[in-house]
């Protein structure tokens, strides 16, 4: 097989239960490089125009690129592709963690799923074996519970799982697909596509190795890149030391971070931004750093929050976009509520950027009298109101009241 690929794709029809293996053509791999390119081409060939993205004819793909699963630095990401129910156009989202590398280790470059299961189902991939399994007991669980349950039931502590939470089950158009307890392929509403198919999870165990054409040369390039990265300083050093939350303060000061639903920009117009942009306010709760597969930057981190109004225990460190969306965008200056909202999104499967944006939009509508307390079950959606933000996000996740409208995003 040509280097960087396993040479196999799987096509799963949830309606019929049929599972087909197809050889990956080298011309396709070279002509449409990476998980994005492969996904575009396969969907163009196999999915007719005009289909309902939440209908059984739609196809969702979990795709990888030639560097995924190799020793190439940062080569651990995977792509999810499909027709977006949010926009009606092309939809893609990508995520880090270990799911993509595990898919390649199991011997698959991509898995494409079509149809719709008659009841909750999950896809289990163990090297060459692909099986459809009952997931009725998992339906309604959050993403963290789902992953833990599958690992326990299958007696596989290193099982890699990409799954949906309650928001995707309720077909929220701003929902995504979560792996490794908090990494999320968040954009384009592809979590809703998975939910419409009643596909709760894709779980993978792989024992293989991705073939590399020139392994010694790859190793030489890897070492050279790592040396350059260590010496670079600046942005890369900030990411390695602090993660993306370390760039928040600079972006706010530069006017690059939106404030008050994009009405304002600049630190001087929202002095409270400093309390959520202070990286120490996040890192003081960090219990350990982590990196995604084959990533030397290791910008991720786990935090433990057992104090304040919203203790969440152990959860993932919020990224810059999450801090910006639930902080300045909503005029919130409490970092503790950001931990809570981030954890709620990770567990339910909501995209934090879209969730923060739709809450800020609702707050501006409330300020201008377009939305009133009659629409919000008596809740005052005032700028920066922590309790209102948590309550509103709960409504969005459950599609309760005004949350049923907001669950599909600003548009």
């Amino acid at each position: 097989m040509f280097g960087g690929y396993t040479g196999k794709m799987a096509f799963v029809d949830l309606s019929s239960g049929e599972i087909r293996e197809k050889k990956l053509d080298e011309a396709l791999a070279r002509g449409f490089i990476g998980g994005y390119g492969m996904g575009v081409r396969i969907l163009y060939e196999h999915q007719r125009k005009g289909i309902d993205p939440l209908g059984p004819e739609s196809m969702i793909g979990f795709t990888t690129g030639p560097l995924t699963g190799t020793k190439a630095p940062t080569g651990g990401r995977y792509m999810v592709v499909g027709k977006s129910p949010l926009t009606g156009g092309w939809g893609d989202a990508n995520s880090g963690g270990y799911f993509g590398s595990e898919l390649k280790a199991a011997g698959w470059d991509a898995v494409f799923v079509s149809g719709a299961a008659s009841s909750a189902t999950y896809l289990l991939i163990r090297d060459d074996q692909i099986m459809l399994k009952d997931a009725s007991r998992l339906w309604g669980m959050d993403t963290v519970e789902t992953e833990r349950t599958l690992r326990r039931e299958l007696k596989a502590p290193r099982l890699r799982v990409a799954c949906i939470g309650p928001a995707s089950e309720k077909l929220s158009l701003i929902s995504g697909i979560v792996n490794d307890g908090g990494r999320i392929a968040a954009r384009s509403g592809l979590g809703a596509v998975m939910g419409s198919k009643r596909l709760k999870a894709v779980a993978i165990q792989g024992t293989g190795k991705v073939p590399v054409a020139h392994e010694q040369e790859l190793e030489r390039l890897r070492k050279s890149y790592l040396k350059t990265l260590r010496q670079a300083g600046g942005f890369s050093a900030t990411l390695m030391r602090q993660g993306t939350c370390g760039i928040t303060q600079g972006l706010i000061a530069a006017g690059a971070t939106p404030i008050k639903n994009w009405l304002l920009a600049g630190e001087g117009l929202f002095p409270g931004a400093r309390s959520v942009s202070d990286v120490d306010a996040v890192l003081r709760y960090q219990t350990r750093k982590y990196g995604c597969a084959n990533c030397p930057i290791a910008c991720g981190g786990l935090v433990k929050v057992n104090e304040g109004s919203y203790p969440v225990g152990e959860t993932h460190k919020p990224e810059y976009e999450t801090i910006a969306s639930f902080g300045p965008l909503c005029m919130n200056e409490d970092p503790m509520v950001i931990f809570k909202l981030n954890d709620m999104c990770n567990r339910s499967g909501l995209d934090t950027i879209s969730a923060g944006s739709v809450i800020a939009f609702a707050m501006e509508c409330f300020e201008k009298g377009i939305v009133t307390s009659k629409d919000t079950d008596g809740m005052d959606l005032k700028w920066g109101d922590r309790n209102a933000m948590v309550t509103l996000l709960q409504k969005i996740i459950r599609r309760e009241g005004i949350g049923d409208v907001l669950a599909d995003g600003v548009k």
Side-chain angles (χ1 to χ4, degrees), residues 90-370:
W90 170 254
D92 66 84
N94 67 84
S95 179
Y98 289 82
F99 180 85
S101 293
E102 199 74 11
L103 181 60
K104 290 284 280 287
W108 303 95
D109 292 310
V111 175
F112 294 92
V113 182
S114 59
S118 57
S119 59
T121 300
Y122 78 93
L123 193 63
L124 177 61
I125 302 174
R126 281 176 160 160
D127 290 328
D128 289 338
Q129 287 188 310
I130 301 182
M131 299 160 277
L132 292 171
K133 297 283 193 177
D134 175 64
S136 55
R137 70 202 174 284
L138 304 174
W139 202 256
M141 285 187 185
D142 70 35
T143 60
V144 175
E145 293 171 322
T146 299
E147 185 173 330
R148 288 174 180 169
T149 300
L150 285 173
R151 285 180 169 178
R152 184 177 65 251
E153 289 181 352
L154 296 170
K155 296 180 174 58
R158 294 180 64 84
L159 186 77
R160 303 303 179 184
V161 179
C163 61
I164 58 173
S168 300
E169 292 175 2
K170 294 182 180 297
L171 309 187
S172 165
L173 300 189
I174 57 172
S175 66
I177 298 159
V178 182
N179 58 280
D180 294 280
R183 313 308 301 182
I184 176 168
R187 310 296 280 166
S188 304
L190 295 175
V193 177
M194 202 163 156
S196 72
K197 297 183 177 304
R198 289 178 280 280
L199 180 62
K200 179 65 176 178
V202 179
I204 306 176
Q205 279 183 298
T207 59
K209 184 180 178 182
V210 181
V212 174
H214 304 284
E215 199 151 5
Q216 289 184 340
E217 180 64 6
L218 175 62
E219 180 62 15
R220 185 191 70 79
L221 290 169
R222 187 186 73 86
K223 289 181 178 178
S224 174
Y225 176 84
L226 293 178
K227 181 180 179 181
T228 301
L229 188 66
R230 285 192 293 267
Q231 296 173 348
F235 180 64
S236 59
T238 298
L239 287 184
M240 286 189 283
R241 189 171 61 252
Q242 301 172 335
T244 61
C245 60
I247 65 176
T248 308
Q249 196 161 32
L251 290 176
I252 292 175
T257 299
I259 298 172
K260 199 177 182 183
N261 198 32
W262 295 90
L263 295 173
L264 306 174
E267 193 174 36
L269 296 174
F270 179 41
R274 184 166 288 274
S275 61
V276 296
S277 65
D278 179 10
V279 67
D280 291 332
V282 175
L283 296 185
R284 72 168 57 99
Y285 296 99
Q286 184 168 283
T287 55
R288 71 176 176 90
K289 284 169 54 64
Y290 72 84
C292 298
N294 298 311
C295 182
I297 297 172
C299 67
L302 294 178
V303 295
K304 184 174 286 187
V305 183
N306 292 324
E307 60 186 65
S309 303
Y310 301 104
V312 294
E314 186 174 80
T315 187
H316 284 254
K317 178 174 64 179
E319 304 290 343
Y320 157 72
E321 292 88 346
T322 304
I323 295 171
S325 295
F326 290 133
L329 192 66
C330 295
M331 300 291 282
N332 165 50
E333 55 188 59
D334 185 354
M336 304 305 290
V337 78
I338 295 177
F339 285 125
K340 174 65 175 178
L341 296 166
N342 184 51
D343 187 64
M344 290 171 67
C345 285
N346 287 345
R347 288 176 176 271
S348 68
L350 282 179
D351 170 19
T352 59
I353 299 174
S354 295
S357 295
V358 82
I359 289 174
F361 176 74
M363 286 176 164
E364 185 177 349
C365 287
F366 190 87
E367 179 185 51
K368 294 181 176 178
I370 299 168

Side-chain angles (χ1 to χ4, degrees), residues 49-85:
K49 67 178 182 179
I51 59 103
D52 177 1
L54 298 180
E57 288 185 288
S58 75
M59 179 179 282
I60 188 169
F62 299 83
T63 62
T64 63
L67 299 182
T68 310
T70 70
K71 291 183 179 179
T74 74
R77 303 190 76 82
Y78 74 98
M79 185 74 72
V80 185
V81 297
K83 184 174 182 179
S84 169

Side-chain angles (χ1 to χ4, degrees), residues 13-18 56 114-117:
D13 187 330
L14 294 173
S15 296
S16 66
E18 181 187 17
S114 59

